[in-house]
Amino acid sequence: MNQPNGQTLLLRTRGMAAEIAARLRVMIDEGELPPGARIDEKELSLAFDVSKTPLREALKILVSEGRATHRQYIGYRVASIDLDDLASTFEMLHGLEAMAGELARQRITDAQVAAIHAKHRRMIECHAAGKRLEYFRLNQQVHEMIVESAGNPVLSGVYVSLMAKVHRARGAANTDTLRWAESLSEHEAILAALDDPEHARLPRILREHSENTAREVLMLLGRMRENASAPEARA
């Protein structure tokens, strides 16, 4: 049965809005659109080659998810991140990383170590090519593979849940060049610990890497918040 023209247009708009929302979600979660950034509707309309109607529907979806905010006469912005909640979440993750490392010491297989090495090599290639988003995705996957090698489904479930809370914050901080290089160096140390037959240093190195990441993320986000609030204060 043919849909009335108005209904067809509505469904098409909703479909486009969902697709645009998915693309914006990735841009926000992986730091391409950082916390507090103004969302330029005209620029995005041109970039996505769409009219403002489906774009605004997509932005409403992101507002409902808490990823964006909207103020009349000001427009849309990427939502800020609660730094206190983020710090508490990171504290939990430090312990989980160390626990995963301790269990992985006892349970990780040679095949799992080889798979992690293969993922790490792809990470290095992305770093050399300057592909930040691809590097960030592979970085996440390496950590998830190590946690999975711990062989504890409850630990894996809690870890994935908490990582989802800090994903956007880590993506925003991943744009920092210095931390990007430091992170790669720390991952090299993680791989070296995996290559050690005893894996003795793995729990400590994983925890230190998590703590270093948290320290840098919180510092950079705090700086971003200060920079974003300065123009508003002057206004």
Side-chain angles (χ1 to χ4, degrees):
M1 181 183 296
N2 292 330
Q3 296 281 356
N5 289 339
Q7 186 70 8
T8 301
L9 180 60
L10 177 61
L11 292 174
R12 187 181 301 123
T13 298
R14 286 177 176 171
M16 290 177 66
E19 182 180 340
I20 295 166
R23 295 167 69 181
L24 289 172
R25 198 176 289 120
V26 171
M27 293 171 71
I28 290 171
D29 288 354
E30 299 193 348
E32 190 173 348
L33 288 173
R38 177 175 171 271
I39 299 176
D40 190 320
E41 294 182 49
K42 183 177 180 180
E43 184 178 301
L44 289 175
S45 292
L46 292 172
F48 295 158
D49 192 22
V50 297
S51 68
K52 286 190 175 181
T53 299
L55 176 61
R56 285 176 177 167
E57 289 299 317
L59 291 171
K60 289 177 183 176
I61 293 172
L62 296 179
V63 169
S64 70
E65 295 173 349
R67 285 181 169 86
T69 61
H70 180 258
R71 291 175 62 185
Q72 192 173 12
Y73 307 122
I74 294 178
Y76 291 91
R77 285 188 178 274
V78 178
S80 61
I81 295 173
D82 185 328
L83 297 188
D84 290 335
D85 181 70
L86 180 63
S88 297
T89 304
F90 269 124
E91 285 180 354
M92 291 290 293
L93 282 168
H94 302 334
L96 292 179
E97 290 275 7
M99 184 183 296
E102 187 60 45
L103 292 175
R105 282 184 60 193
Q106 308 165 41
R107 301 171 181 173
I108 196 168
T109 66
D110 291 342
Q112 287 173 320
V113 171
I116 292 168
H117 265 289
K119 190 77 69 174
H120 180 72
R121 284 194 293 273
R122 289 175 59 195
M123 252 180 57
I124 293 174
E125 292 170 0
C126 289
H127 183 272
K131 297 179 179 178
R132 290 180 181 275
L133 295 183
E134 290 86 346
Y135 171 88
F136 181 56
R137 293 190 190 107
L138 291 167
N139 183 310
Q140 294 277 76
Q141 290 168 18
V142 166
H143 281 276
E144 290 168 6
M145 291 169 74
I146 294 173
V147 172
E148 195 68 25
S149 73
N152 186 314
V154 176
L155 171 61
S156 296
V158 174
Y159 181 83
V160 169
S161 175
L162 291 180
M163 281 302 297
K165 292 186 65 175
V166 305
H167 182 84
R168 183 160 71 95
R170 293 184 75 226
N174 193 57
T175 60
D176 180 75
T177 304
L178 178 60
R179 179 55 196 158
W180 196 23
E182 289 175 347
S183 174
L184 182 62
S185 175
E186 290 168 10
H187 268 253
E188 295 281 2
I190 291 171
L191 268 291
L194 285 171
D195 287 337
D196 176 1
E198 299 297 324
H199 314 305
R201 295 173 297 151
L202 187 60
R204 175 179 59 81
I205 290 175
L206 285 171
R207 184 182 185 100
E208 288 176 353
H209 175 58
S210 181
E211 290 173 345
N212 290 341
T213 298
R215 187 181 309 110
E216 194 71 14
V217 168
L218 290 166
M219 182 188 72
L220 288 170
L221 291 178
R223 190 181 300 160
M224 288 179 187
R225 176 175 293 181
E226 291 173 1
N227 292 340
S229 62
E232 294 182 6
R234 287 196 295 269

